[in-house]
Amino acid sequence: MKKFVLCALLLGLTVGAASPVLAWDANKQKNLGQDHVKMTWYLLDYGKNNDTPYAIARKYYTNTAIKDETVDLLMSKFGLSPEVAGSLYFTEYGYEYTPDGKQFAVTYLRHYDMLGNEIYGTEYDNSSEATMKTFAAIDPKHAAGKGAAYALGKTPTSTTKAATPAKKTTKTPAKRVVRKK
């Protein structure tokens, strides 16, 4: 019995360590909040690889309409079954940046189910016209823009306005009215 429990524990630890859901440095992970279509984004990793800034972000499908569109795309364009495509939970994006951080390209995107199993992915490695990395301008409010800021060691631009201090009101003392009798 002890051997069985030990084997089960080791198997669980091995699977957990190999799971892409748990494979990132917790100190680098950042909750980037929701975008304009209410999708929740997390930054998983960032830095430089061979002097090339990079970031890895995850988009969780917290907007069912967008999830349904993506599921339909996975079925129609890539031939996934409704069961597999319907298990979509998040999409992970690899970003590469120009050294000045003003442009980015997607290096890969991978779609995962709730258990962290990849259901479909694309690598953009310039091996064909379909997989060419295309650089585009950075929007500092988007996950790719925030990832660029972290990869370059800067603080990302906030998407929320800073609270304005309340106006200081001064009360004028009431005037004393004196009536003649």
Side-chain angles (χ1 to χ4, degrees), residues 41-108:
W41 288 82
Y42 288 88
L43 187 63
L44 301 178
D45 195 12
Y46 53 88
K48 289 188 178 181
N49 186 11
N50 296 328
D51 293 326
T52 301
Y54 75 92
I56 298 170
R58 226 177 242 174
K59 171 176 67 176
Y60 285 86
Y61 289 90
T62 48
N63 178 332
T64 55
I66 301 294
K67 178 181 177 179
D68 292 344
E69 288 175 14
T70 307
V71 167
D72 289 343
L73 177 73
L74 289 170
M75 290 187 306
S76 65
K77 189 170 182 180
F78 304 113
L80 271 64
S81 71
E83 295 79 24
V84 172
S87 68
L88 177 67
Y89 188 61
F90 64 87
T91 299
E92 187 174 285
Y93 295 82
Y95 298 118
E96 179 180 296
Y97 304 100
T98 55
D100 63 3
K102 293 184 178 183
Q103 293 187 319
F104 78 101
V106 176
T107 57
Y108 72 86

Side-chain angles (χ1 to χ4, degrees), residues 1-2 18 36 38 88 117 163:
M1 181 66 177
K2 287 182 181 181
H36 65 287
K38 305 293 184 214
L88 177 67
N117 299 312

Side-chain angles (χ1 to χ4, degrees), residues 9-56:
L9 180 63
L10 287 174
L11 179 63
L13 289 173
T14 304
V15 169
S19 172
V21 175
L22 302 173
W24 308 108
D25 181 357
N27 294 324
K28 286 187 171 182
Q29 291 183 16
K30 310 280 183 218
N31 181 344
L32 301 178
Q34 290 189 334
D35 62 14
H36 65 287
V37 292
K38 305 293 184 214
M39 301 293 275
T40 303
W41 288 82
Y42 288 88
L43 187 63
L44 301 178
D45 195 12
Y46 53 88
K48 289 188 178 181
N49 186 11
N50 296 328
D51 293 326
T52 301
Y54 75 92
I56 298 170

Side-chain angles (χ1 to χ4, degrees), residues 36 101-104 136-148 157 159:
H36 65 287
K102 293 184 178 183
Q103 293 187 319
F104 78 101
I138 294 235
D139 177 353
K141 295 179 184 175
H142 185 271
K146 293 176 185 178
T157 305
T159 58

